Amino acid sequence: ALRPRDYQTRMRAVEEGFGFAPDALAAALRKVVMRHSKSQRIRGAAALALPDASSSTIKIDMPAAERPAYNQAKSFMRASDVEGKTLNHAENLLSGMRGVCAHSKAKVELLLQQLRAAATAAKARGKVANAVVFTGFDVTHSDVVSRLKLFPNEFRVFKFSSGTQMDRRHHVIRAFQSTLESNDVNAPTHVFVITVRAGACGVTLTA
C-alpha cells in the first residue's frame, strides 16, 4: 500500500508543479467539467439513455502448459521485498503475472464461446448481435483479433489499439456504429476489439 509519507510527497510535488494544491485544482475543474449520471434528467429527459449495467466474474483454469510460467512469475513476486515500497513498485511486480495471463489461449477461447452464445441468444430474439471487447494488453488484442478473423462467416471484426492513428480511430468507430442500424439477423456478429491503453480521445460506442 502507498504509505502516508509517499502520498504527502507526491501531493507536494503536484502543488509545486502546478502552483496550487490538488483541492484547488479539483475546485477549478468542477467549473468547466460536465459530468452526467444515468439518474440525472435534463428538461425532463434522461441525461444518459443507457441500460442498467451488469457484470460477472468468470474464473478460468489455466492450462497445464501455461502454469509453469505463471508460477515462476508468482514466486518472483513473493520473493521480492515490497515492505514500505511504493504502489508503482507493487504494480510492476504484478505485471509479470498479468503478462503471462495476457498470453493465455484459454481466455481467448472462452471469449469465443461467450461471443457465440451471445450471438445465438440475440438471433433467437430476432436481434442483430454486436459486442465491444476491451483488452489490457496489445498482445491480447492481437490474439483476439487474429482468432476472430479465422471465422469470417461468424464475426466481422473492427479494431484499434494504442498504435492506431487518430483519424483511423474515428473511421473505425463510425464503421462499427453504422452496423448497429442493420436488421439482418443472419449477418456476422459485429465485434469491436479495443485496448484500454488506446487513450488520447473520448470513445463513445453503442453495442
Side-chain angles (χ1 to χ4, degrees):
L2 188 64
R3 296 176 300 177
R5 185 172 65 239
D6 294 329
Y7 175 80
Q8 293 168 2
T9 299
R10 292 187 183 185
M11 290 301 98
R12 280 198 300 271
V14 171
E15 185 173 352
E16 292 171 0
F18 288 98
F20 46 79
D23 290 343
L25 174 61
L29 288 175
R30 290 192 190 98
K31 299 178 181 179
V32 296
V33 174
M34 183 180 294
R35 180 179 180 273
H36 294 307
S37 64
K38 291 182 180 179
S39 60
Q40 184 179 356
R41 305 188 74 81
I42 300 177
R43 296 178 181 175
L48 296 174
L50 298 174
D52 292 335
S54 63
S55 63
S56 61
T57 301
I58 302 175
K59 295 184 178 180
I60 306 172
D61 290 330
M62 181 170 285
E66 299 173 0
R67 177 63 65 176
Y70 181 84
N71 289 339
Q72 182 178 6
K74 186 175 181 179
S75 297
F76 176 78
M77 185 194 72
R78 287 183 170 179
S80 301
D81 179 18
V82 296
E83 182 66 28
K85 298 296 178 62
T86 64
L87 181 60
N88 285 339
H89 180 79
E91 289 178 344
N92 289 336
L93 290 175
L94 286 171
S95 65
M97 297 167 62
R98 291 171 178 164
V100 175
C101 293
H103 287 275
S104 178
K105 302 301 181 184
K107 292 173 63 177
V108 178
E109 290 305 314
L110 179 60
L111 172 63
L112 198 64
Q113 295 175 23
Q114 294 286 316
L115 289 173
R116 283 172 171 157
T120 299
K123 291 177 181 180
R125 300 192 305 270
K127 302 291 185 179
V128 179
N130 301 289
V132 181
V133 177
F134 291 95
T135 70
F137 292 85
D138 283 340
V139 63
T140 309
H141 180 274
S142 298
D143 287 346
V144 171
V145 169
S146 298
R147 191 78 174 99
L148 292 175
K149 284 188 172 181
L150 293 177
F151 308 96
N153 294 330
E154 293 185 69
F155 305 105
R156 182 182 175 190
V157 183
F158 303 80
K159 63 184 178 71
F160 71 61
S161 62
S162 57
T164 306
Q165 294 296 321
M166 196 64 65
D167 57 346
R168 178 61 184 169
R169 296 183 187 189
H170 293 304
H171 172 77
V172 176
I173 290 173
R174 288 192 294 269
F176 175 74
Q177 290 177 326
S178 69
T179 67
L180 305 178
E181 301 174 0
S182 172
N183 295 318
D184 184 6
V185 296
N186 295 316
T189 300
H190 307 121
V191 185
F192 201 155
V193 188
I194 310 173
T195 61
V196 296
R197 298 168 189 255
C201 71
V203 177
T204 301
L205 296 172
T206 305

